[in-house]
Amino acid sequence: MAHSLSALAAVLAFCLSSSALAGTTIETQGFTIDDRWGVSLKLLSDSNNVAKFDLTNIATIDYSVTERYEWNGGDMKFDFFSVSARDGYRVTSIEYSGVISGELIPAPDYPDKWPNSYWGGTATNSSQATFSAYDPDAHPANYVQKVLTFNNLNETVPFSLQNSTLLLPQAFQIDLNVSAWLGLTPGGGDWFPGQGDEGYYSWTTPSTTKLRVLNPVLTLTYAPLSAVPEPSTYAMLLAGLALCGIVRRRRAG
């Protein structure tokens, strides 16, 4: 009995872990979007043919480093979404937007004055977003990518990266990856003792670098498809025009 319960618990645990990794489908008025990871996308609003989603995975880009040693590092965040337009609708544009904030605080440099010697530090940051929307059946060489790059950002600025879907089919793929990399070197100084003494004293001063992506949003705009008349409709229209012509001729006669 104990072995049976253990086996059942193992099966339940596997099912729960599998469902946690399963994708989630979000429905809007004009389309459905499948979140491959099931945790990266949250619907914020859907009105006036515009749907906005919170990119929770991209929002985790929030780094701040202060070090007395040389440091380099960063990370990349990936999101993959599948979109299918509903019958009678099509997606007309996609936008990745938000606010990016960077701060650079290198260790200061001071003028050398005997018996002291000083040097300053450095602080860098960079971020790149690569965004593409494409037919999943198309060859990767035909994908159209949009790229947004920030280097050595020392301010807070809004950003927007748009990709038109005019040439895409009713079902397409969205790929978004955002990188964030930071680097720094410390500053410091040396103090040389008086003449005749041996050795010297040195110290380091920390540098700081920061980078954050705030309120990242994915916006999809959609519109109703224009109605295309059936061939029978055209035939009826032509017949009506012909009848009008006959009536006018008779009246003129």
Side-chain angles (χ1 to χ4, degrees), residues 150-182:
F150 293 97
N151 289 313
N152 296 325
L153 189 65
N154 200 26
E155 58 181 331
T156 298
V157 295
F159 65 84
S160 175
L161 194 59
Q162 296 183 340
N163 194 331
S164 174
T165 64
L166 292 177
L167 300 179
L168 290 176
Q170 292 295 91
F172 58 89
Q173 177 78 35
I174 298 175
D175 288 359
L176 174 64
N177 68 78
V178 182
S179 65
W181 302 98
L182 300 91

Side-chain angles (χ1 to χ4, degrees), residues 184-227:
L184 55 80
T185 60
D190 291 325
W191 176 77
F192 299 93
Q195 186 176 1
D197 293 336
E198 294 181 357
Y200 66 94
Y201 173 72
S202 66
W203 65 92
T204 58
T205 306
S207 294
T208 297
T209 179
K210 301 179 181 181
L211 193 63
R212 303 175 65 194
V213 177
L214 306 172
N215 303 320
V217 173
L218 183 68
T219 302
L220 278 74
T221 303
Y222 55 92
L225 287 171
S226 299

